[in-house]
Amino acid sequence: ATLQIIEAVATKSPKSIGHVLVTLAMPVAELTCDIKKEVKEAAISTMTAICNCTGNRDLEPFLPFVVKAAQSIDSTHECVEKLAGCIFVQNVE
């Protein structure tokens, strides 16, 4: 239920989640590896929603790799490689 609330807030008020993204990312990422299928699916969906709250359009193409990396340590290297290629052009407030 908590994941669903976070996801709903992320959808309706992305700037609010953006301010606490650092606090939310790790606990939600940990749940993407949960042994319960329902929890894992909800966490992946929530992780996707909160990642879309960065406020930085330059990161958008790389967010699926971030979500995938949260699910498996094996995907972390690929994610880092992708993010290393990100060129930031947008001013971030």
XYZ file of all heavy atoms in Angstrom:
691
model
N 0.826 -1.193 0.000
C 0.000 0.000 0.000
C 0.871 1.257 0.000
O 0.541 2.222 -0.673
C -0.933 -0.007 1.202
N 1.970 1.237 0.743
C 2.853 2.401 0.796
C 3.446 2.689 -0.579
O 3.528 3.859 -0.991
C 3.979 2.185 1.825
O 3.398 1.930 3.097
C 4.881 3.391 1.912
N 3.847 1.653 -1.284
C 4.404 1.845 -2.619
C 3.376 2.464 -3.558
O 3.713 3.331 -4.373
C 4.911 0.515 -3.183
C 6.160 -0.048 -2.516
C 6.430 -1.476 -2.998
C 7.366 0.837 -2.770
N 2.142 2.043 -3.428
C 1.083 2.590 -4.283
C 0.844 4.071 -3.985
O 0.603 4.856 -4.893
C -0.207 1.789 -4.103
C -0.098 0.380 -4.629
C -1.264 -0.488 -4.204
O -1.910 -0.237 -3.199
N -1.517 -1.542 -4.979
N 0.950 4.443 -2.723
C 0.776 5.853 -2.342
C 1.922 6.689 -2.914
O 1.697 7.757 -3.480
C 0.685 5.998 -0.805
C -0.604 5.360 -0.292
C 0.779 7.464 -0.381
C -0.670 5.208 1.215
N 3.142 6.190 -2.764
C 4.297 6.911 -3.294
C 4.173 7.073 -4.809
O 4.416 8.153 -5.354
C 5.614 6.188 -2.935
C 5.838 6.226 -1.426
C 6.794 6.803 -3.687
C 6.959 5.327 -0.938
N 3.759 6.008 -5.470
C 3.592 6.069 -6.926
C 2.517 7.074 -7.320
O 2.681 7.840 -8.275
C 3.254 4.687 -7.483
C 3.218 4.648 -8.982
C 3.038 3.251 -9.545
O 3.137 2.260 -8.793
O 2.811 3.153 -10.764
N 1.419 7.102 -6.573
C 0.344 8.047 -6.867
C 0.816 9.490 -6.687
O 0.518 10.361 -7.513
C -0.864 7.762 -5.975
N 1.568 9.745 -5.629
C 2.098 11.098 -5.398
C 3.087 11.458 -6.507
O 3.088 12.587 -7.003
C 2.752 11.216 -4.000
C 3.440 12.565 -3.839
C 1.714 11.014 -2.905
N 3.919 10.505 -6.913
C 4.889 10.751 -7.983
C 4.186 11.133 -9.279
O 4.666 11.997 -10.022
C 5.766 9.521 -8.194
N 3.067 10.514 -9.536
C 2.311 10.796 -10.758
C 1.630 12.158 -10.690
O 1.654 12.924 -11.648
C 1.258 9.697 -10.995
O 1.940 8.432 -11.069
C 0.499 9.920 -12.282
N 1.056 12.475 -9.533
C 0.285 13.712 -9.389
C 1.147 14.930 -9.035
O 0.793 16.054 -9.374
C -0.800 13.532 -8.344
C -1.828 12.483 -8.722
C -3.157 12.768 -8.096
C -4.169 11.693 -8.366
N -4.682 11.684 -9.694
N 2.247 14.697 -8.351
C 3.081 15.812 -7.898
C 4.568 15.452 -7.992
O 5.228 15.270 -6.968
C 2.699 16.180 -6.465
O 3.409 17.291 -6.036
N 5.093 15.357 -9.203
C 6.474 14.921 -9.385
C 7.510 15.810 -8.691
O 8.520 15.307 -8.203
C 6.678 14.912 -10.896
C 5.489 15.548 -11.494
C 4.416 15.610 -10.464
N 7.255 17.104 -8.613
C 8.217 17.987 -7.953
C 8.335 17.654 -6.467
O 9.417 17.730 -5.897
C 7.832 19.453 -8.137
C 8.152 19.979 -9.519
C 7.935 21.460 -9.613
C 8.288 21.942 -11.006
N 8.156 23.393 -11.129
N 7.229 17.284 -5.845
C 7.256 16.913 -4.426
C 8.133 15.688 -4.213
O 8.923 15.638 -3.270
C 5.847 16.623 -3.908
O 5.063 17.784 -3.966
N 7.989 14.702 -5.067
C 8.806 13.494 -4.964
C 10.253 13.817 -5.321
O 11.180 13.288 -4.711
C 8.252 12.366 -5.867
C 6.884 11.905 -5.355
C 9.218 11.190 -5.949
C 6.884 11.238 -3.999
N 10.445 14.700 -6.280
C 11.799 15.095 -6.671
C 12.614 15.624 -5.501
O 13.811 15.381 -5.405
N 11.949 16.312 -4.582
C 12.641 16.870 -3.414
C 13.080 15.795 -2.423
O 13.996 16.026 -1.636
C 11.752 17.897 -2.706
C 11.533 19.140 -3.505
N 12.540 20.017 -3.826
C 10.411 19.643 -4.069
C 12.048 21.008 -4.546
N 10.762 20.807 -4.708
N 12.425 14.654 -2.445
C 12.767 13.572 -1.493
C 13.260 12.321 -2.223
O 13.333 11.248 -1.636
C 11.572 13.227 -0.571
C 11.253 14.382 0.357
C 10.349 12.814 -1.365
N 13.608 12.485 -3.472
C 14.029 11.351 -4.294
C 15.213 10.601 -3.684
O 15.235 9.374 -3.663
C 14.366 11.821 -5.712
C 14.650 10.754 -6.750
C 13.482 9.780 -6.872
C 14.916 11.394 -8.097
N 16.165 11.329 -3.154
C 17.346 10.698 -2.559
C 16.941 9.816 -1.373
O 17.477 8.728 -1.182
C 18.365 11.776 -2.111
C 19.507 11.173 -1.335
C 18.877 12.535 -3.317
N 15.960 10.264 -0.619
C 15.486 9.504 0.539
C 14.694 8.271 0.127
O 14.797 7.224 0.759
C 14.592 10.406 1.433
O 15.333 11.576 1.773
C 14.154 9.687 2.686
N 13.930 8.382 -0.942
C 13.055 7.282 -1.375
C 13.756 6.229 -2.223
O 13.371 5.051 -2.190
C 11.883 7.835 -2.186
C 10.842 8.656 -1.442
C 9.847 9.245 -2.431
C 10.137 7.810 -0.409
N 14.748 6.628 -2.972
C 15.335 5.734 -3.978
C 15.851 4.424 -3.389
O 15.536 3.346 -3.911
C 16.436 6.447 -4.748
N 16.637 4.472 -2.343
C 17.245 3.257 -1.815
C 16.218 2.282 -1.229
O 16.249 1.095 -1.566
C 18.319 3.596 -0.783
C 19.135 2.389 -0.419
S 19.811 1.612 -1.909
C 21.478 1.495 -1.492
N 15.298 2.738 -0.376
C 14.315 1.773 0.149
C 13.446 1.140 -0.941
O 13.160 -0.053 -0.894
C 13.450 2.604 1.101
C 14.253 3.804 1.427
C 15.159 4.038 0.258
N 13.059 1.936 -1.931
C 12.249 1.393 -3.030
C 13.094 0.440 -3.865
O 12.638 -0.647 -4.237
C 11.630 2.518 -3.888
C 10.901 1.937 -5.102
C 10.675 3.361 -3.057
N 14.339 0.806 -4.138
C 15.237 -0.064 -4.913
C 15.417 -1.412 -4.224
O 15.433 -2.453 -4.888
C 16.585 0.612 -5.115
N 15.543 -1.402 -2.914
C 15.707 -2.662 -2.175
C 14.491 -3.567 -2.344
O 14.619 -4.785 -2.435
C 15.957 -2.376 -0.701
C 17.332 -1.802 -0.442
C 17.558 -1.380 0.996
O 16.634 -1.526 1.827
O 18.671 -0.905 1.290
N 13.318 -2.965 -2.426
C 12.094 -3.763 -2.579
C 11.935 -4.340 -3.988
O 11.148 -5.260 -4.193
C 10.868 -2.930 -2.202
C 10.753 -2.590 -0.714
C 9.610 -1.614 -0.488
C 10.563 -3.854 0.117
N 12.698 -3.834 -4.962
C 12.613 -4.401 -6.313
C 13.212 -5.803 -6.368
O 13.066 -6.496 -7.368
C 13.312 -3.510 -7.365
O 14.707 -3.446 -7.092
C 12.708 -2.120 -7.420
N 13.873 -6.200 -5.296
C 14.464 -7.546 -5.209
C 13.715 -8.431 -4.218
O 14.202 -9.502 -3.842
C 15.923 -7.445 -4.785
S 16.926 -6.485 -5.914
N 12.554 -7.995 -3.783
C 11.777 -8.739 -2.790
C 11.373 -10.110 -3.330
O 11.147 -10.272 -4.536
C 10.525 -7.948 -2.402
C 9.937 -8.398 -1.085
O 9.124 -9.358 -1.096
O 10.311 -7.817 -0.053
N 11.283 -11.083 -2.440
C 10.912 -12.432 -2.874
C 9.427 -12.571 -3.188
O 9.034 -13.469 -3.928
C 11.341 -13.498 -1.838
C 10.720 -13.226 -0.477
C 12.843 -13.564 -1.740
C 10.947 -14.339 0.542
N 8.617 -11.672 -2.640
C 7.188 -11.708 -2.943
C 6.949 -11.008 -4.278
O 7.321 -9.853 -4.473
C 6.387 -11.017 -1.846
C 6.403 -11.746 -0.524
C 5.554 -11.021 0.489
C 5.616 -11.727 1.832
N 4.887 -10.971 2.854
N 6.322 -11.725 -5.190
C 6.095 -11.217 -6.544
C 5.332 -9.893 -6.540
O 5.678 -8.969 -7.272
C 5.335 -12.270 -7.354
C 5.087 -11.871 -8.782
C 4.314 -12.942 -9.530
C 4.001 -12.478 -10.938
N 3.182 -13.425 -11.668
N 4.290 -9.798 -5.698
C 3.462 -8.589 -5.659
C 4.267 -7.376 -5.202
O 4.119 -6.281 -5.730
C 2.252 -8.768 -4.728
C 1.384 -9.959 -5.030
C 1.912 -11.260 -4.430
O 2.598 -11.251 -3.382
O 1.657 -12.314 -5.031
N 5.116 -7.579 -4.192
C 5.937 -6.489 -3.675
C 6.950 -6.065 -4.724
O 7.140 -4.870 -4.982
C 6.644 -6.900 -2.360
C 7.621 -5.833 -1.907
C 5.626 -7.202 -1.272
N 7.579 -7.037 -5.344
C 8.580 -6.750 -6.371
C 7.967 -5.959 -7.527
O 8.524 -4.950 -7.967
C 9.185 -8.061 -6.893
C 10.252 -7.857 -7.941
C 10.871 -9.174 -8.351
C 11.961 -8.935 -9.379
N 12.808 -10.088 -9.573
N 6.826 -6.382 -8.016
C 6.169 -5.691 -9.125
C 5.765 -4.270 -8.742
O 5.939 -3.330 -9.521
C 4.948 -6.488 -9.594
C 5.306 -7.758 -10.325
C 4.106 -8.623 -10.668
O 2.966 -8.295 -10.244
O 4.304 -9.636 -11.365
N 5.230 -4.109 -7.527
C 4.841 -2.776 -7.058
C 6.068 -1.879 -6.911
O 6.033 -0.694 -7.251
C 4.086 -2.876 -5.737
N 7.167 -2.450 -6.420
C 8.395 -1.673 -6.233
C 8.977 -1.239 -7.579
O 9.443 -0.100 -7.715
C 9.415 -2.481 -5.446
N 8.951 -2.110 -8.566
C 9.465 -1.761 -9.892
C 8.624 -0.633 -10.495
O 9.159 0.328 -11.053
C 9.507 -2.993 -10.817
C 10.573 -3.972 -10.324
C 9.762 -2.589 -12.274
C 10.532 -5.339 -10.986
N 7.332 -0.740 -10.343
C 6.438 0.292 -10.855
C 6.674 1.622 -10.130
O 6.734 2.690 -10.760
C 4.987 -0.160 -10.678
O 4.108 0.794 -11.196
N 6.837 1.560 -8.819
C 7.090 2.764 -8.026
C 8.455 3.346 -8.351
O 8.607 4.569 -8.479
C 6.980 2.458 -6.518
O 5.674 1.950 -6.249
C 7.225 3.694 -5.682
N 9.454 2.493 -8.515
C 10.797 2.961 -8.854
C 10.769 3.704 -10.187
O 11.396 4.761 -10.335
C 11.763 1.775 -8.909
C 13.197 2.148 -9.050
S 13.806 2.913 -7.541
C 15.488 3.211 -8.001
N 10.033 3.159 -11.142
C 9.895 3.815 -12.444
C 9.244 5.186 -12.271
O 9.700 6.177 -12.844
C 9.064 2.938 -13.397
O 9.721 1.674 -13.547
C 8.887 3.592 -14.755
N 8.199 5.242 -11.458
C 7.479 6.506 -11.235
C 8.358 7.547 -10.552
O 8.386 8.712 -10.961
C 6.218 6.258 -10.410
N 9.089 7.144 -9.517
C 9.905 8.142 -8.811
C 11.118 8.572 -9.640
O 11.552 9.710 -9.541
C 10.311 7.691 -7.388
C 11.273 6.511 -7.388
C 9.082 7.437 -6.532
C 11.836 6.157 -6.019
N 11.635 7.677 -10.464
C 12.760 8.056 -11.333
C 12.334 9.122 -12.338
O 13.158 9.930 -12.764
C 13.316 6.835 -12.056
S 14.389 5.827 -11.024
N 11.080 9.132 -12.681
C 10.571 10.139 -13.614
C 10.366 11.497 -12.952
O 9.895 12.427 -13.585
C 9.273 9.663 -14.259
C 9.533 8.598 -15.295
O 10.458 8.713 -16.088
N 8.741 7.551 -15.285
N 10.736 11.612 -11.686
C 10.564 12.859 -10.939
C 11.874 13.623 -10.769
O 11.972 14.520 -9.939
C 9.962 12.564 -9.561
S 8.322 11.832 -9.627
N 12.885 13.286 -11.542
C 14.179 13.950 -11.399
C 14.124 15.411 -11.828
O 14.906 16.228 -11.355
C 15.272 13.256 -12.236
O 14.945 13.374 -13.620
C 15.444 11.818 -11.826
N 13.226 15.729 -12.742
C 13.156 17.091 -13.255
C 14.229 17.379 -14.292
O 14.408 18.514 -14.707
N 14.933 16.347 -14.719
C 16.002 16.525 -15.696
C 15.717 15.689 -16.941
O 15.871 14.477 -16.934
C 17.354 16.125 -15.081
C 18.513 16.507 -15.961
O 18.401 16.553 -17.179
N 19.647 16.769 -15.335
N 15.325 16.358 -17.995
C 14.977 15.665 -19.244
C 16.169 14.936 -19.854
O 16.007 13.966 -20.589
C 14.379 16.645 -20.248
C 13.005 17.144 -19.857
C 12.392 18.033 -20.930
N 13.247 19.140 -21.325
C 13.303 20.329 -20.718
N 12.546 20.551 -19.659
N 14.111 21.275 -21.145
N 17.384 15.404 -19.560
C 18.573 14.751 -20.106
C 18.715 13.318 -19.597
O 19.313 12.462 -20.255
C 19.842 15.533 -19.741
C 19.864 16.920 -20.353
O 19.327 17.087 -21.467
O 20.414 17.836 -19.715
N 18.180 13.041 -18.420
C 18.279 11.697 -17.834
C 17.197 10.736 -18.324
O 17.342 9.527 -18.186
C 18.198 11.780 -16.306
C 19.409 12.343 -15.596
C 19.130 12.473 -14.106
C 20.617 11.463 -15.823
N 16.121 11.257 -18.874
C 14.969 10.424 -19.234
C 15.310 9.179 -20.045
O 14.813 8.098 -19.737
C 13.898 11.266 -19.933
C 13.181 12.194 -18.975
C 12.177 13.106 -19.654
O 11.945 12.978 -20.881
O 11.611 13.964 -18.951
N 16.169 9.251 -21.069
C 16.466 8.031 -21.837
C 17.202 6.962 -21.030
O 17.212 5.797 -21.398
C 17.360 8.520 -22.982
C 17.267 9.997 -22.999
C 16.819 10.424 -21.644
N 17.799 7.362 -19.914
C 18.615 6.446 -19.118
C 17.870 5.856 -17.922
O 18.363 4.938 -17.279
C 19.876 7.169 -18.629
C 20.673 7.758 -19.755
C 20.532 9.096 -20.093
C 21.531 6.972 -20.499
C 21.243 9.646 -21.144
C 22.254 7.506 -21.555
C 22.105 8.850 -21.884
N 16.688 6.378 -17.635
C 15.948 5.940 -16.443
C 15.579 4.457 -16.455
O 15.646 3.804 -15.411
C 14.733 6.830 -16.213
C 15.089 8.291 -15.900
C 13.829 9.124 -15.735
C 15.976 8.396 -14.684
N 15.222 3.872 -17.601
C 14.951 2.423 -17.586
C 16.170 1.606 -17.138
O 16.024 0.574 -16.482
C 14.575 2.110 -19.034
C 14.044 3.401 -19.568
C 14.867 4.472 -18.892
N 17.363 2.083 -17.450
C 18.583 1.386 -17.024
C 18.790 1.517 -15.515
O 19.285 0.600 -14.869
C 19.803 1.922 -17.783
C 19.716 1.688 -19.257
C 19.360 2.706 -20.114
C 19.968 0.427 -19.789
C 19.253 2.488 -21.480
C 19.878 0.190 -21.156
C 19.517 1.224 -22.000
N 18.395 2.655 -14.960
C 18.486 2.856 -13.512
C 17.536 1.900 -12.799
O 17.905 1.248 -11.823
C 18.178 4.321 -13.131
C 18.113 4.497 -11.617
C 19.220 5.257 -13.732
N 16.323 1.793 -13.304
C 15.340 0.882 -12.711
C 15.822 -0.560 -12.819
O 15.735 -1.334 -11.865
C 13.951 1.066 -13.364
C 12.964 0.033 -12.842
C 13.432 2.476 -13.116
N 16.364 -0.912 -13.968
C 16.892 -2.271 -14.169
C 18.063 -2.548 -13.229
O 18.178 -3.640 -12.660
C 17.331 -2.436 -15.628
C 17.753 -3.831 -15.995
C 18.097 -3.904 -17.477
C 18.628 -5.281 -17.828
N 19.089 -5.342 -19.221
N 18.930 -1.557 -13.034
C 20.075 -1.724 -12.130
C 19.619 -1.919 -10.691
O 20.261 -2.645 -9.925
C 21.005 -0.521 -12.229
N 18.524 -1.290 -10.319
C 17.992 -1.454 -8.966
C 17.542 -2.892 -8.722
O 17.597 -3.387 -7.594
C 16.820 -0.498 -8.738
N 17.145 -3.567 -9.777
C 16.633 -4.932 -9.660
C 17.724 -5.984 -9.590
O 17.498 -7.083 -9.093
C 15.729 -5.252 -10.854
C 14.511 -4.381 -10.938
C 13.779 -4.615 -12.232
O 13.404 -5.738 -12.537
N 13.575 -3.561 -12.998
N 18.909 -5.666 -10.105
C 19.967 -6.678 -10.161
C 21.337 -6.028 -10.191
O 21.580 -5.134 -11.009
C 19.792 -7.550 -11.408
O 20.923 -8.375 -11.595
N 22.209 -6.493 -9.348
C 23.587 -5.991 -9.320
C 24.279 -6.245 -10.656
O 25.167 -5.493 -11.057
C 24.369 -6.617 -8.142
C 25.719 -5.902 -7.938
C 24.634 -8.077 -8.358
C 25.625 -4.739 -7.023
N 23.839 -7.266 -11.364
C 24.430 -7.583 -12.663
C 24.185 -6.490 -13.697
O 24.928 -6.370 -14.669
C 23.880 -8.912 -13.191
C 24.234 -10.086 -12.293
O 25.271 -10.011 -11.605
O 23.469 -11.067 -12.275
N 23.151 -5.686 -13.496
C 22.809 -4.623 -14.448
C 23.460 -3.289 -14.101
O 23.357 -2.337 -14.874
C 21.286 -4.434 -14.478
O 20.655 -5.636 -14.833
N 24.126 -3.229 -12.968
C 24.700 -1.967 -12.511
C 25.770 -1.444 -13.463
O 25.798 -0.256 -13.793
C 25.275 -2.115 -11.090
O 24.225 -2.581 -10.237
C 25.796 -0.803 -10.563
N 26.653 -2.312 -13.919
C 27.734 -1.885 -14.806
C 27.169 -1.269 -16.082
O 27.638 -0.210 -16.538
C 28.655 -3.065 -15.134
C 29.807 -2.699 -16.003
N 30.861 -1.942 -15.555
C 30.056 -2.953 -17.306
C 31.706 -1.757 -16.541
N 31.251 -2.359 -17.621
N 26.174 -1.919 -16.661
C 25.545 -1.393 -17.876
C 24.949 -0.012 -17.616
O 25.080 0.905 -18.433
C 24.463 -2.355 -18.376
C 23.728 -1.838 -19.595
C 22.546 -2.711 -20.007
O 22.110 -3.575 -19.216
O 22.064 -2.506 -21.124
N 24.311 0.134 -16.469
C 23.694 1.410 -16.117
C 24.748 2.508 -15.996
O 24.576 3.608 -16.518
C 22.928 1.269 -14.796
S 22.184 2.799 -14.224
N 25.838 2.211 -15.322
C 26.907 3.194 -15.154
C 27.480 3.587 -16.517
O 27.734 4.773 -16.781
C 28.012 2.654 -14.215
C 29.231 3.568 -14.210
C 27.465 2.477 -12.809
N 27.658 2.598 -17.391
C 28.167 2.881 -18.743
C 27.217 3.813 -19.492
O 27.651 4.759 -20.154
C 28.347 1.581 -19.528
C 29.497 0.724 -19.042
C 30.853 1.300 -19.389
O 31.004 1.877 -20.486
O 31.758 1.183 -18.551
N 25.928 3.550 -19.396
C 24.938 4.382 -20.086
C 24.946 5.801 -19.521
O 24.939 6.781 -20.269
C 23.529 3.777 -19.962
C 23.373 2.434 -20.626
C 23.340 2.559 -22.121
C 23.055 1.206 -22.747
N 23.119 1.233 -24.189
N 24.934 5.912 -18.185
C 24.908 7.224 -17.560
C 26.183 8.016 -17.846
O 26.145 9.244 -17.937
C 24.706 7.094 -16.042
C 23.302 6.683 -15.614
C 23.281 6.377 -14.122
C 22.293 7.767 -15.943
N 27.293 7.324 -18.004
C 28.550 8.002 -18.320
C 28.477 8.698 -19.679
O 29.160 9.688 -19.917
C 29.707 7.008 -18.297
N 27.615 8.198 -20.542
C 27.460 8.793 -21.862
C 26.428 9.905 -21.914
O 26.214 10.504 -22.965
N 25.815 10.211 -20.786
C 24.784 11.250 -20.747
C 25.424 12.626 -20.877
O 26.374 12.957 -20.173
C 23.994 11.165 -19.435
S 22.695 12.399 -19.301
N 24.904 13.407 -21.787
C 25.361 14.786 -21.957
C 24.280 15.690 -21.382
O 23.131 15.669 -21.825
C 25.607 15.112 -23.440
C 26.700 14.201 -23.992
C 25.954 16.586 -23.619
C 26.884 14.283 -25.479
N 24.662 16.460 -20.384
C 23.709 17.335 -19.711
C 23.709 18.698 -20.388
O 24.737 19.363 -20.452
C 24.071 17.479 -18.227
C 23.928 16.200 -17.466
C 25.018 15.388 -17.218
C 22.688 15.790 -17.003
C 24.883 14.215 -16.514
C 22.534 14.618 -16.301
C 23.644 13.818 -16.059
N 22.546 19.077 -20.887
C 22.413 20.390 -21.520
C 21.338 21.233 -20.839
O 21.329 22.445 -20.982
C 22.106 20.267 -23.032
C 23.289 19.661 -23.774
C 20.858 19.466 -23.281
N 20.441 20.606 -20.110
C 19.345 21.308 -19.468
C 19.824 21.946 -18.168
O 20.560 21.354 -17.406
C 18.203 20.337 -19.152
C 17.076 20.968 -18.386
C 16.074 19.939 -17.886
O 16.064 18.817 -18.321
N 15.259 20.347 -16.960
N 19.393 23.178 -17.929
C 19.627 23.806 -16.632
C 18.695 23.172 -15.617
O 17.505 23.028 -15.863
C 19.361 25.307 -16.685
C 20.408 26.041 -17.495
O 21.543 25.597 -17.563
N 20.026 27.140 -18.102
N 19.247 22.781 -14.478
C 18.452 22.150 -13.426
C 18.265 23.163 -12.310
O 19.221 23.784 -11.852
C 19.141 20.870 -12.890
C 18.310 20.243 -11.798
C 19.381 19.895 -14.025
N 17.025 23.320 -11.877
C 16.720 24.269 -10.808
C 16.817 23.621 -9.461
O 16.571 22.514 -9.255
C 15.308 24.821 -11.007
C 15.199 25.574 -12.319
C 13.773 25.989 -12.606
O 12.929 25.980 -11.702
O 13.510 26.333 -13.752
